[in-house]
Amino acid sequence: GEARVPLEVFAAKNPDEEIRRTSSSGGVFTALAETVLNEGGVVFGARWNEHWEVVHDYTETCEGLAAFRGSKYVQSVVGDTFKQAERFLKGGRKVLYSGTPCQIAALKRFLDKDYEHLLTVDCICHGTPSPGVFRWYMGEQLAKVIGKDGYRFVPCPIPLIPQVDVLAREEGCRIEGIRFRDKKEGWKNFSFAFDLTVGISSTQAKAVSFSYPLRKSSFLSGFLSNLYLRPSCYACPAKNGKSAADITLGDYWGIASLMPQLDDDRGISAVLVGTPKGRVALEATAVELYPVPYEDVRGKNSALTNSCAVPIGRSVFWTADSKSFHQKIKDICRVSFAQRVKRKFRAVLRMSGVKR
Ligand SMILES: Cc1cc2nc3c(=O)[nH]c(=O)nc-3n(C[C@H](O)[C@H](O)[C@H](O)COP(=O)(O)OP(=O)(O)OC[C@H]3O[C@@H](n4cnc5c(N)ncnc54)[C@H](O)[C@@H]3O)c2cc1C
């Protein structure tokens, strides 16, 4: 499709605090999905499967939406869901399909026809990390927290790494949950977190949780440094409205400079309305909407319009050597002493009001 300027743009949040807490930004996805379900519709989204892989699936209940909530920073497998959605649409059911811009563009190509009762929701998308790299990271992380040495291998080409549930069993534990956007330390300083049951083969099985805030998580650092996005993400043909989604959702990073009263650090969404159908769907929800200029979102969230550049570190990351995942990230993302001094200096200036 063509690049597009949205019809309307909002800062928004779901008035239900529990839904907002368990969502990545303002919980707008759940509000849209609930209205579709209440009208007898079906909702498609990304969830974990039993092997801790991210897959697309559908639900017909509000309880089923919990699995879709929260961004999973791994490319999801759409599997048969385009066909399933088509079957529901042909049967006259309302369908909400949510995914990354490229998934929405692909769904539209697959359907090859406009359905009045299809609502598409995509996201402002940074790009999606490789599932193989996520398995590598999880395997090493589990070995580390359970107390063994992280295992090492040559990541280029990525050999067949066992599924995450298998890796966990090898360490005598079971994964109970994985969250990329845990808000325990706040929306802005989000954490990568996971819950385990350890000692599953003994009589003293117990629950333990781990969480790593943004700057301390090697997986999030490598993701945000663009080291292992899918190759296609560096030249994305679907962002900037080209997916033709009815609604685009994102994090309203920087809301504090526009509407400080909204910034409670519990998550505010940026909502871009792409079509009249999207506007009707949004108005049917109980979401609190605050109109904002499009330029504000575009200026604060470059992922809306631009693909990431390929960083120098990407080829370093994918070069075969015997380093662990953790060590690679540490070496590539290490901030130099000079950079640290510069940052500290800027922070002091900002605090003293010299610089805004
Ligand atoms: C890979 C990825 C990259 C993103 N990059 C940015 C960014 O750079 N800037 C920005 O502002 N926002 C980004 N987002 C969007 C943001 O994280 C929130 O998803 C969005 O703000 C909606 O939040 P919410 O609170 O309304 O809903 P939530 O409940 O948090 O959102 C859940 C929605 O995300 C979908 N979803 C979750 N994981 C995946 C996945 N792996 N593949 C496809 N769909 C998925 C679910 O199906 C559901 O529709 C990204 C999301 C993903 C999945």
Side-chain angles (χ1 to χ4, degrees), residues 134-161:
F134 181 67
R135 290 199 298 275
W136 179 22
Y137 164 75
M138 265 327 273
E140 194 178 292
Q141 199 59 26
L142 290 170
K144 204 167 135 196
V145 299
I146 302 296
K148 288 189 214 156
D149 272 343
Y151 64 93
R152 292 146 202 270
F153 47 74
V154 180
C156 186
I158 278 225
L160 280 176
I161 307 167

mmCIF file of all heavy atoms in Angstrom, residues 134-161:
data_model
loop_
_atom_site.group_PDB
_atom_site.id
_atom_site.type_symbol
_atom_site.label_atom_id
_atom_site.label_comp_id
_atom_site.label_asym_id
_atom_site.label_seq_id
_atom_site.Cartn_x
_atom_site.Cartn_y
_atom_site.Cartn_z
ATOM 1 N N PHE A 134 16.116 -15.836 20.562
ATOM 2 C CA PHE A 134 15.415 -15.866 21.850
ATOM 3 C C PHE A 134 15.627 -17.208 22.562
ATOM 4 O O PHE A 134 15.862 -17.250 23.774
ATOM 5 C CB PHE A 134 13.913 -15.590 21.674
ATOM 6 C CG PHE A 134 13.167 -15.601 22.973
ATOM 7 C CD1 PHE A 134 13.411 -14.615 23.931
ATOM 8 C CD2 PHE A 134 12.268 -16.618 23.288
ATOM 9 C CE1 PHE A 134 12.765 -14.633 25.155
ATOM 10 C CE2 PHE A 134 11.620 -16.638 24.509
ATOM 11 C CZ PHE A 134 11.864 -15.649 25.438
ATOM 12 N N ARG A 135 15.597 -18.319 21.802
ATOM 13 C CA ARG A 135 15.845 -19.640 22.422
ATOM 14 C C ARG A 135 17.268 -19.700 22.975
ATOM 15 O O ARG A 135 17.511 -20.241 24.047
ATOM 16 C CB ARG A 135 15.640 -20.761 21.394
ATOM 17 C CG ARG A 135 14.193 -20.971 20.997
ATOM 18 C CD ARG A 135 13.989 -22.351 20.357
ATOM 19 N NE ARG A 135 14.746 -22.550 19.131
ATOM 20 C CZ ARG A 135 14.334 -22.175 17.924
ATOM 21 N NH1 ARG A 135 13.151 -21.604 17.780
ATOM 22 N NH2 ARG A 135 15.070 -22.382 16.856
ATOM 23 N N TRP A 136 18.199 -19.176 22.213
ATOM 24 C CA TRP A 136 19.606 -19.170 22.648
ATOM 25 C C TRP A 136 19.711 -18.409 23.972
ATOM 26 O O TRP A 136 20.263 -18.906 24.965
ATOM 27 C CB TRP A 136 20.468 -18.519 21.562
ATOM 28 C CG TRP A 136 21.936 -18.443 21.908
ATOM 29 C CD1 TRP A 136 22.603 -19.227 22.809
ATOM 30 C CD2 TRP A 136 22.885 -17.548 21.357
ATOM 31 N NE1 TRP A 136 23.924 -18.862 22.856
ATOM 32 C CE2 TRP A 136 24.134 -17.835 21.972
ATOM 33 C CE3 TRP A 136 22.835 -16.540 20.401
ATOM 34 C CZ2 TRP A 136 25.299 -17.146 21.661
ATOM 35 C CZ3 TRP A 136 24.001 -15.858 20.092
ATOM 36 C CH2 TRP A 136 25.223 -16.160 20.719
ATOM 37 N N TYR A 137 19.132 -17.212 24.003
ATOM 38 C CA TYR A 137 19.174 -16.389 25.218
ATOM 39 C C TYR A 137 18.514 -17.104 26.396
ATOM 40 O O TYR A 137 19.080 -17.168 27.499
ATOM 41 C CB TYR A 137 18.472 -15.047 24.957
ATOM 42 C CG TYR A 137 18.133 -14.327 26.235
ATOM 43 C CD1 TYR A 137 19.128 -13.691 26.975
ATOM 44 C CD2 TYR A 137 16.831 -14.330 26.729
ATOM 45 C CE1 TYR A 137 18.831 -13.058 28.173
ATOM 46 C CE2 TYR A 137 16.519 -13.701 27.926
ATOM 47 C CZ TYR A 137 17.527 -13.074 28.643
ATOM 48 O OH TYR A 137 17.241 -12.473 29.825
ATOM 49 N N MET A 138 17.307 -17.655 26.178
ATOM 50 C CA MET A 138 16.581 -18.293 27.290
ATOM 51 C C MET A 138 17.345 -19.490 27.836
ATOM 52 O O MET A 138 17.400 -19.705 29.047
ATOM 53 C CB MET A 138 15.178 -18.734 26.837
ATOM 54 C CG MET A 138 14.024 -17.797 27.103
ATOM 55 S SD MET A 138 14.053 -16.768 28.568
ATOM 56 C CE MET A 138 13.336 -17.789 29.815
ATOM 57 N N GLY A 139 17.941 -20.287 26.922
ATOM 58 C CA GLY A 139 18.696 -21.461 27.357
ATOM 59 C C GLY A 139 19.833 -21.042 28.276
ATOM 60 O O GLY A 139 20.046 -21.612 29.354
ATOM 61 N N GLU A 140 20.539 -20.015 27.866
ATOM 62 C CA GLU A 140 21.673 -19.541 28.644
ATOM 63 C C GLU A 140 21.226 -18.932 29.975
ATOM 64 O O GLU A 140 21.841 -19.148 31.024
ATOM 65 C CB GLU A 140 22.416 -18.495 27.812
ATOM 66 C CG GLU A 140 23.760 -18.174 28.341
ATOM 67 C CD GLU A 140 24.454 -17.168 27.434
ATOM 68 O OE1 GLU A 140 24.788 -17.529 26.288
ATOM 69 O OE2 GLU A 140 24.630 -16.031 27.870
ATOM 70 N N GLN A 141 20.126 -18.181 29.915
ATOM 71 C CA GLN A 141 19.621 -17.506 31.109
ATOM 72 C C GLN A 141 19.170 -18.529 32.159
ATOM 73 O O GLN A 141 19.433 -18.380 33.347
ATOM 74 C CB GLN A 141 18.461 -16.585 30.704
ATOM 75 C CG GLN A 141 18.137 -15.512 31.700
ATOM 76 C CD GLN A 141 19.323 -14.593 31.958
ATOM 77 O OE1 GLN A 141 20.201 -14.434 31.107
ATOM 78 N NE2 GLN A 141 19.369 -14.016 33.137
ATOM 79 N N LEU A 142 18.503 -19.591 31.678
ATOM 80 C CA LEU A 142 18.035 -20.633 32.610
ATOM 81 C C LEU A 142 19.224 -21.324 33.255
ATOM 82 O O LEU A 142 19.268 -21.526 34.471
ATOM 83 C CB LEU A 142 17.165 -21.657 31.866
ATOM 84 C CG LEU A 142 15.791 -21.146 31.412
ATOM 85 C CD1 LEU A 142 15.117 -22.151 30.483
ATOM 86 C CD2 LEU A 142 14.909 -20.863 32.620
ATOM 87 N N ALA A 143 20.234 -21.668 32.425
ATOM 88 C CA ALA A 143 21.425 -22.328 32.961
ATOM 89 C C ALA A 143 22.081 -21.439 34.017
ATOM 90 O O ALA A 143 22.533 -21.911 35.057
ATOM 91 C CB ALA A 143 22.400 -22.629 31.829
ATOM 92 N N LYS A 144 22.071 -20.138 33.760
ATOM 93 C CA LYS A 144 22.710 -19.184 34.664
ATOM 94 C C LYS A 144 21.972 -19.100 36.007
ATOM 95 O O LYS A 144 22.595 -19.178 37.067
ATOM 96 C CB LYS A 144 22.712 -17.817 33.993
ATOM 97 C CG LYS A 144 23.779 -16.891 34.470
ATOM 98 C CD LYS A 144 23.889 -15.717 33.517
ATOM 99 C CE LYS A 144 23.990 -14.439 34.310
ATOM 100 N NZ LYS A 144 23.730 -13.272 33.499
ATOM 101 N N VAL A 145 20.639 -18.957 35.964
ATOM 102 C CA VAL A 145 19.914 -18.785 37.233
ATOM 103 C C VAL A 145 19.809 -20.088 38.014
ATOM 104 O O VAL A 145 19.679 -20.082 39.228
ATOM 105 C CB VAL A 145 18.500 -18.144 37.056
ATOM 106 C CG1 VAL A 145 18.614 -16.769 36.452
ATOM 107 C CG2 VAL A 145 17.562 -19.020 36.250
ATOM 108 N N ILE A 146 19.886 -21.219 37.298
ATOM 109 C CA ILE A 146 19.831 -22.498 37.999
ATOM 110 C C ILE A 146 21.224 -22.850 38.543
ATOM 111 O O ILE A 146 21.397 -23.739 39.339
ATOM 112 C CB ILE A 146 19.266 -23.617 37.080
ATOM 113 C CG1 ILE A 146 17.872 -23.263 36.566
ATOM 114 C CG2 ILE A 146 19.220 -24.971 37.773
ATOM 115 C CD1 ILE A 146 16.774 -23.136 37.593
ATOM 116 N N GLY A 147 22.255 -22.163 38.060
ATOM 117 C CA GLY A 147 23.569 -22.319 38.687
ATOM 118 C C GLY A 147 24.626 -23.011 37.879
ATOM 119 O O GLY A 147 25.747 -23.157 38.319
ATOM 120 N N LYS A 148 24.302 -23.419 36.652
ATOM 121 C CA LYS A 148 25.345 -24.020 35.813
ATOM 122 C C LYS A 148 25.987 -22.928 34.977
ATOM 123 O O LYS A 148 25.487 -21.812 34.915
ATOM 124 C CB LYS A 148 24.724 -25.050 34.874
ATOM 125 C CG LYS A 148 24.278 -26.303 35.579
ATOM 126 C CD LYS A 148 23.880 -27.323 34.536
ATOM 127 C CE LYS A 148 22.739 -28.184 35.033
ATOM 128 N NZ LYS A 148 21.961 -28.761 33.973
ATOM 129 N N ASP A 149 27.086 -23.292 34.290
ATOM 130 C CA ASP A 149 27.687 -22.332 33.362
ATOM 131 C C ASP A 149 26.765 -22.201 32.160
ATOM 132 O O ASP A 149 26.247 -23.180 31.676
ATOM 133 C CB ASP A 149 29.042 -22.866 32.865
ATOM 134 C CG ASP A 149 30.145 -22.438 33.799
ATOM 135 O OD1 ASP A 149 29.900 -21.504 34.587
ATOM 136 O OD2 ASP A 149 31.219 -23.052 33.744
ATOM 137 N N GLY A 150 26.583 -21.000 31.684
ATOM 138 C CA GLY A 150 25.803 -20.813 30.473
ATOM 139 C C GLY A 150 26.449 -21.618 29.363
ATOM 140 O O GLY A 150 27.665 -21.624 29.265
ATOM 141 N N TYR A 151 25.661 -22.303 28.553
ATOM 142 C CA TYR A 151 26.317 -23.086 27.499
ATOM 143 C C TYR A 151 26.636 -22.170 26.329
ATOM 144 O O TYR A 151 26.017 -21.158 26.099
ATOM 145 C CB TYR A 151 25.473 -24.299 27.102
ATOM 146 C CG TYR A 151 24.135 -23.990 26.491
ATOM 147 C CD1 TYR A 151 23.992 -23.893 25.108
ATOM 148 C CD2 TYR A 151 23.010 -23.805 27.284
ATOM 149 C CE1 TYR A 151 22.776 -23.617 24.546
ATOM 150 C CE2 TYR A 151 21.794 -23.520 26.725
ATOM 151 C CZ TYR A 151 21.674 -23.429 25.346
ATOM 152 O OH TYR A 151 20.482 -23.151 24.783
ATOM 153 N N ARG A 152 27.657 -22.551 25.626
ATOM 154 C CA ARG A 152 28.145 -21.728 24.515
ATOM 155 C C ARG A 152 28.042 -22.517 23.241
ATOM 156 O O ARG A 152 28.221 -23.714 23.229
ATOM 157 C CB ARG A 152 29.631 -21.420 24.714
ATOM 158 C CG ARG A 152 29.897 -20.527 25.852
ATOM 159 C CD ARG A 152 31.224 -20.913 26.497
ATOM 160 N NE ARG A 152 31.221 -20.426 27.862
ATOM 161 C CZ ARG A 152 31.669 -19.237 28.198
ATOM 162 N NH1 ARG A 152 32.166 -18.445 27.292
ATOM 163 N NH2 ARG A 152 31.609 -18.839 29.438
ATOM 164 N N PHE A 153 27.793 -21.834 22.173
ATOM 165 C CA PHE A 153 27.946 -22.471 20.873
ATOM 166 C C PHE A 153 28.086 -21.394 19.827
ATOM 167 O O PHE A 153 27.986 -20.206 20.113
ATOM 168 C CB PHE A 153 26.795 -23.412 20.545
ATOM 169 C CG PHE A 153 25.444 -22.818 20.810
ATOM 170 C CD1 PHE A 153 24.920 -21.851 19.981
ATOM 171 C CD2 PHE A 153 24.707 -23.242 21.906
ATOM 172 C CE1 PHE A 153 23.688 -21.301 20.229
ATOM 173 C CE2 PHE A 153 23.470 -22.689 22.161
ATOM 174 C CZ PHE A 153 22.958 -21.717 21.324
ATOM 175 N N VAL A 154 28.334 -21.829 18.629
ATOM 176 C CA VAL A 154 28.597 -20.905 17.539
ATOM 177 C C VAL A 154 27.256 -20.457 16.952
ATOM 178 O O VAL A 154 26.495 -21.286 16.493
ATOM 179 C CB VAL A 154 29.453 -21.631 16.480
ATOM 180 C CG1 VAL A 154 29.754 -20.720 15.310
ATOM 181 C CG2 VAL A 154 30.722 -22.149 17.127
ATOM 182 N N PRO A 155 26.969 -19.183 16.989
ATOM 183 C CA PRO A 155 25.639 -18.767 16.566
ATOM 184 C C PRO A 155 25.484 -18.480 15.077
ATOM 185 O O PRO A 155 24.532 -17.869 14.688
ATOM 186 C CB PRO A 155 25.417 -17.500 17.377
ATOM 187 C CG PRO A 155 26.760 -16.938 17.547
ATOM 188 C CD PRO A 155 27.739 -18.080 17.521
ATOM 189 N N CYS A 156 26.424 -18.887 14.238
ATOM 190 C CA CYS A 156 26.295 -18.528 12.830
ATOM 191 C C CYS A 156 26.713 -19.682 11.951
ATOM 192 O O CYS A 156 27.870 -20.017 11.915
ATOM 193 C CB CYS A 156 27.153 -17.312 12.525
ATOM 194 S SG CYS A 156 26.938 -16.692 10.868
ATOM 195 N N PRO A 157 25.870 -20.388 11.256
ATOM 196 C CA PRO A 157 24.431 -20.190 11.321
ATOM 197 C C PRO A 157 23.880 -20.767 12.619
ATOM 198 O O PRO A 157 24.456 -21.702 13.151
ATOM 199 C CB PRO A 157 23.918 -21.009 10.134
ATOM 200 C CG PRO A 157 24.959 -22.076 9.954
ATOM 201 C CD PRO A 157 26.259 -21.497 10.376
ATOM 202 N N ILE A 158 22.792 -20.201 13.120
ATOM 203 C CA ILE A 158 22.228 -20.656 14.386
ATOM 204 C C ILE A 158 21.886 -22.144 14.276
ATOM 205 O O ILE A 158 21.128 -22.531 13.418
ATOM 206 C CB ILE A 158 20.977 -19.822 14.736
ATOM 207 C CG1 ILE A 158 21.434 -18.515 15.372
ATOM 208 C CG2 ILE A 158 20.026 -20.577 15.615
ATOM 209 C CD1 ILE A 158 20.709 -18.082 16.592
ATOM 210 N N PRO A 159 22.535 -22.987 15.067
ATOM 211 C CA PRO A 159 22.204 -24.406 14.982
ATOM 212 C C PRO A 159 20.833 -24.661 15.588
ATOM 213 O O PRO A 159 20.227 -23.747 16.124
ATOM 214 C CB PRO A 159 23.299 -25.063 15.813
ATOM 215 C CG PRO A 159 23.777 -24.010 16.724
ATOM 216 C CD PRO A 159 23.462 -22.682 16.137
ATOM 217 N N LEU A 160 20.365 -25.881 15.459
ATOM 218 C CA LEU A 160 19.040 -26.181 15.997
ATOM 219 C C LEU A 160 19.082 -26.124 17.515
ATOM 220 O O LEU A 160 19.664 -26.986 18.166
ATOM 221 C CB LEU A 160 18.599 -27.567 15.532
ATOM 222 C CG LEU A 160 18.039 -27.583 14.109
ATOM 223 C CD1 LEU A 160 17.717 -28.998 13.688
ATOM 224 C CD2 LEU A 160 16.800 -26.693 13.998
ATOM 225 N N ILE A 161 18.514 -25.100 18.075
ATOM 226 C CA ILE A 161 18.475 -24.969 19.528
ATOM 227 C C ILE A 161 17.158 -25.568 19.985
ATOM 228 O O ILE A 161 16.121 -25.276 19.410
ATOM 229 C CB ILE A 161 18.549 -23.484 19.944
ATOM 230 C CG1 ILE A 161 19.765 -22.820 19.288
ATOM 231 C CG2 ILE A 161 18.595 -23.343 21.459
ATOM 232 C CD1 ILE A 161 19.734 -21.313 19.382
#
